[in-house]
Every structure is written in C-alpha cells, then in structure tokens.
Amino acid sequence: MSDSNKPLFSRPVLAAIMLFCTLAIWLLNLTATSSTLPTPKLETWTTSSGVPVVWLKQETWENSNKVELRFAFRSVTTNTVLIETTLAMLMSDSLPLSTASINQRLAPLAASANSYYDHENQVIGLTLNNETDYLLPSLSLVTKWLKSPDFKRRTFDNWQAQRPLSPDAQHELEDALFFDSAAEQISRNRTPASLERIIDYYQSLKNAAVAIYIVGDLTLEAQKSLQTALNEISQDFQIAKNPAEQIQHEPLSTIIQQNQGELWQTRSAIALKPVATIKEWISLQIWGADLVATLNQQQHIDFVQLALTLSPTNPWAWWSIQYSNNPIIAPTVSNEEMDQLIDAKSLVFTEQVPSIKSEKRFQTLLDTFKTQLETQALSPTWWSYIATQITHVDSQLTLEQFANNYQEAVDSFSAEDYQVAITQLLISSSYQEIQVYQ
C-alpha cells in the first residue's frame, strides 16, 4: 500500500521539471509569431485588351462593402506640371455636359475618386461600394468618365489662374536631385501646360498602362459586373513599353541658400536604391520614423514632415523642417546644447542614425511599427497603396511576394537586418538641401 503523504517527485526531479517547463515556454515564445497579420489571397486575369488585373481579398473583408480600384500607369515625362494639371483637370468637371466635379457626381453613390503621381508612376483611384444598387451606376458613370473625359477650356483657364507660379518644395527637390542642370530643368518643367498637351498626355497615360488593382470583397455578380466595366474602360489601353532608366548619382551633395535673414525652413532630399525586399521596406519605415522623431525633439524645430517615394527605378526620400521663430528659445540654448543639436544631413549616414546606434531605440520603433501594421493590414485602402506605390509588377518586390511573406519578414526582422538595409538603401552622396531664410 502506497504512502499518500510521500511526494510524487523528489526535489531534484521537481527542479528539473520546472527548469524544463521554463525552457519550453521560452522556446515557444521565441518561435511564436509576434503579431497576427492577415494573409490576403490574390486572383489575376487580363482584360480583353491585355491589361493585367490583380484582385486582392481577405476573409476580414467579407462583410465589408468597401472596394478600392486602382488604374496604374507609367507614362514617362519630366514635366511634373503636365502630370499634375492633367490629373487635376480629370478630377474636376471632366464628365461630358457636366459642371460638377467627378466626386460631386460619385458622392450620392457612396463612391469617390482620387489620383496620385510621382516622377515615375501615375495612379487613378476609385473607392466603390460593392452593393449592386451602388456599384452598377458607379461603374456606368466611371466608364463614361475614363473612356472620354471632357477637358474644358474654362476649367483649364481657372486652374492656370489659381496655380502658384513658384514650384512646391517636393518638385523643387525632385529637380535638384534627379537632374544635372537643376535651374535649366526647373525652367523647362515649369513651362505652362496647354489644353492640347493635357489631352495628348491623357492619351499617353492610356498608352502606358501597367496594371489594374482591385482590393476588397466582391460577390460573383459584382465581380462579373466589374470585369465587364474594366474591359470597356481599358478597351484602348496599351501596356507601358518604356520603363524609366536607373539614374546614376555621383557625389554631388549640395546645399542651396535662398534669401537672407533668419533660417526659416530647410528642405532635404536623398536618393535611394530600389527596394528589393520586404525587410528593406520595413527598414525605411523605421528610419523615417526615427528621423522625424529625432528632429522633432530638437528645441529649435517646430515640426518635421517626411515623404518616401518608393518608385521602382529611382526612389527617393524628402523632408521639410520648420524652425521655431520664438525669440525666447535662442538665448536659452547654451553652447553645450548647441553642440548637441542634430544636423538633418547627419541622419543620412548609417553610423549616425540613432536607431542604429541604440538597440533600445530600434526595438521601440519596431514595436510601434508592428502595432500600427496590425491595424493597417486590415484596410483595403492601405493594401491599394502597397499595390501601387510600394510593390511594382516589374520590380524585385511584387504584390504577391509582399502579401505572402510580410508576416514572416516582420516576425524575423532584426537590428542586423535594419543596419544592412539602411547601409544599402541610402545614397548619402546624393543629399540635397535647400535652406530658406526670411
């Protein structure tokens, strides 16, 4: 008969079991995914004119009526004013026999239109309601709009009268970064567009189609209706044949000073290597967040704005710093504090990036990124942004690769991955800075 008071395990055995359990839990935590991100499914086909269509969907959208539609083009031109004006005119009252803008016409149908462009890509976007009562009239309206837009003379004249004569910060930096003779290029790019050139450029867009992206849930009936509409809209589309060439950046870092007086604003730009992997994309998100946070912590800076243009061949980053005009601040900054002020240019050199120098800062930024990503990955709008502005059909990083592998890339991302990627991506010698005084 056994002794019920005798322990089941001896103390050495119990200690070993406890140690084994601790190690097992540690190993499970080590191998478990750090976040739960949806894995979208992709379905592809081509329109009757041969344009690739990519439909991205996930289970979390099955009860949602929101569908994002994107027409992606690559009509190569250095005249950013022509692109800007064409898309602005398209988004205005370009429906035949209409004085209302396209968004005024789409609003009662729970739909809206938008556009995006950079120096390599152009995108016409639509947000649609997938319910039949809304989708069918929306598609009918959009088909008439995109097949034969009416660029009106009075709308063009109004646009030209309201448009500022001086280029905005983004275009000014773009010219300085990508063209050898910046002043000459700026002058050529600012040549006013004519209505005839706008009509011709819209045709060139249709001759430079890249793909059509659908993001969201569709019933079988809605899918068939959308396929029919896309065949009609893209009837005279042609696939883009002239991809942009890689620009070779020489060590031509420059600082341009404008006006005299107190420093009011700096505008900075740097060329990047094309993004080839998801981990490189993650690295740029962390580097950008670090740059903005670091500069915003400076006492003499009011705020910082950053933009990443991750085009397929010649990507770049630019940011604008607005300095404080509070006269109380300057006298309170000691010589020692002045020595600690961070120069914007220093953040394009790997060895000076705070999140590379500090493991703790890197981990904090990575955790914040992961938290944000869990929300973003549930949005059809975010996925349409990934499809048209981050991944590209003719680049090393495609939408399919991103959708299938971004969970693993996030979970295995390390400080070493970050340092290697930033060292590879930032072309420090291309740095351009425009200093504005007043």
Side-chain angles (χ1 to χ4, degrees):
M1 184 174 181
S2 63
D3 185 356
S4 60
N5 293 323
K6 184 178 180 180
L8 186 61
F9 300 109
S10 66
R11 288 185 178 180
V13 172
L14 186 60
I17 291 173
M18 293 176 66
L19 177 61
F20 174 80
C21 290
T22 301
L23 289 172
I25 293 171
W26 178 77
L27 285 171
L28 285 172
N29 288 335
L30 190 66
T31 56
T33 57
S34 59
S35 58
T36 303
L37 300 172
T39 301
K41 297 179 181 179
L42 275 73
E43 186 173 326
T44 62
W45 67 86
T46 58
T47 67
S48 55
S49 59
V51 179
V53 180
V54 181
W55 177 23
L56 185 144
K57 51 188 174 179
Q58 56 177 273
E59 291 181 0
T60 55
W61 298 336
E62 289 181 356
N63 295 320
S64 171
N65 58 13
K66 183 178 181 179
V67 173
E68 299 287 352
L69 180 62
R70 297 292 184 272
F71 297 87
F73 307 93
R74 197 170 300 161
S75 178
V76 179
T77 176
T78 58
N79 192 336
T80 50
V81 170
L82 180 59
I83 305 174
E84 178 187 24
T85 306
T86 302
L87 292 176
M89 291 277 290
L90 184 68
M91 294 295 143
S92 187
D93 58 342
S94 56
L95 275 166
L97 304 176
S98 175
T99 58
S101 71
I102 182 63
N103 275 315
Q104 288 172 321
R105 295 290 300 274
L106 286 171
L109 300 172
S112 62
N114 59 79
S115 65
Y116 166 84
Y117 73 93
D118 58 43
H119 59 300
E120 293 186 64
N121 302 299
Q122 304 83 37
V123 179
I124 298 172
L126 291 160
T127 300
L128 304 172
N129 188 311
N130 63 11
E131 298 173 17
T132 302
D133 290 345
Y134 292 99
L135 183 63
L136 294 182
S138 294
L139 292 176
S140 175
L141 183 66
V142 168
T143 300
K144 295 175 184 177
W145 174 53
L146 292 180
K147 278 185 66 67
S148 301
D150 182 12
F151 297 111
K152 301 176 177 67
R153 171 65 62 181
R154 55 176 169 74
T155 306
F156 173 74
D157 291 340
N158 290 336
W159 166 260
Q160 290 292 84
Q162 296 172 6
R163 190 179 184 280
L165 295 176
S166 59
D168 61 25
Q170 179 179 353
H171 291 158
E172 193 172 15
L173 286 167
E174 193 174 51
D175 291 328
L177 186 63
F178 288 119
F179 303 106
D180 293 335
S181 179
E184 180 180 329
Q185 185 66 35
I186 289 172
S187 175
R188 183 163 66 87
N189 278 4
R190 304 309 154 197
T191 302
S194 67
L195 187 60
E196 291 70 26
R197 292 182 71 192
I198 288 169
I199 295 171
D200 289 342
Y201 185 70
Y202 184 74
Q203 183 59 47
S204 76
L205 277 182
K206 297 201 290 185
N207 292 338
V210 173
I212 300 172
Y213 297 96
I214 306 166
V215 184
D217 185 57
L218 294 171
T219 63
L220 182 59
E221 180 184 2
Q223 182 183 352
K224 290 180 178 179
S225 298
L226 190 53
Q227 284 178 318
T228 301
L230 293 181
N231 284 336
E232 180 69 17
I233 293 170
S234 65
Q235 192 173 34
D236 56 349
F237 282 15
Q238 296 181 22
I239 299 298
K241 298 178 181 178
N242 298 313
E245 296 180 0
Q246 178 69 49
I247 296 175
Q248 300 298 322
H249 295 277
E250 301 298 334
L252 296 173
S253 178
T254 59
I255 295 178
I256 303 169
Q257 294 186 356
Q258 295 181 346
N259 308 321
Q260 298 295 324
E262 296 294 326
L263 182 61
W264 173 63
Q265 190 180 70
T266 58
R267 303 158 184 169
S268 304
I270 181 175
L272 306 171
K273 294 288 182 63
V275 175
T277 68
I278 301 169
K279 288 188 176 182
E280 289 183 350
W281 171 74
I282 298 172
S283 298
L284 286 176
Q285 306 309 301
I286 295 176
W287 172 78
D290 193 14
L291 181 146
V292 171
T294 299
L295 293 177
N296 272 331
Q297 290 169 356
Q298 301 296 296
Q299 189 179 18
H300 64 304
I301 291 175
D302 272 349
F303 62 88
V304 180
Q305 293 178 304
L306 169 75
L308 295 171
T309 301
L310 302 184
S311 54
T313 310
N314 300 295
W316 64 301
W318 72 277
W319 59 97
S320 175
I321 302 174
Q322 186 74 44
Y323 294 93
S324 174
N325 59 2
N326 188 343
I328 298 176
I329 290 180
T332 64
V333 179
S334 66
N335 290 336
E336 182 180 352
E337 288 173 326
M338 284 295 292
D339 292 337
Q340 294 176 355
L341 295 181
I342 295 177
D343 178 20
K345 185 177 180 180
S346 68
L347 298 175
V348 306
F349 296 98
T350 306
E351 64 275 7
Q352 298 187 50
V353 176
S355 52
I356 287 181
K357 295 193 295 182
S358 168
E359 176 79 25
K360 182 179 179 181
R361 186 174 181 85
F362 163 77
Q363 192 60 52
T364 299
L365 290 168
L366 178 59
D367 290 343
T368 301
F369 167 78
K370 289 180 177 179
T371 300
Q372 294 171 343
L373 187 62
E374 289 180 4
T375 301
Q376 292 169 334
L378 298 175
S379 167
T381 304
W382 184 81
W383 277 105
S384 65
Y385 157 75
I386 295 295
T388 55
Q389 298 181 44
I390 303 301
T391 63
H392 306 282
V393 294
D394 54 353
S395 68
Q396 294 185 58
L397 181 58
T398 65
L399 179 60
E400 182 176 10
Q401 290 170 335
F402 190 101
N404 291 336
N405 301 311
Y406 80 116
Q407 170 83 71
E408 188 279 330
V410 170
D411 291 340
S412 63
F413 192 71
S414 67
E416 291 74 22
D417 293 328
Y418 177 52
Q419 182 170 352
V420 169
I422 292 301
T423 302
Q424 167 69 20
L425 290 169
L426 301 185
I427 306 176
S428 302
S429 61
S430 70
Y431 180 82
Q432 303 288 320
E433 182 177 304
I434 298 174
Q435 298 177 347
V436 182
Y437 294 82
Q438 67 174 10

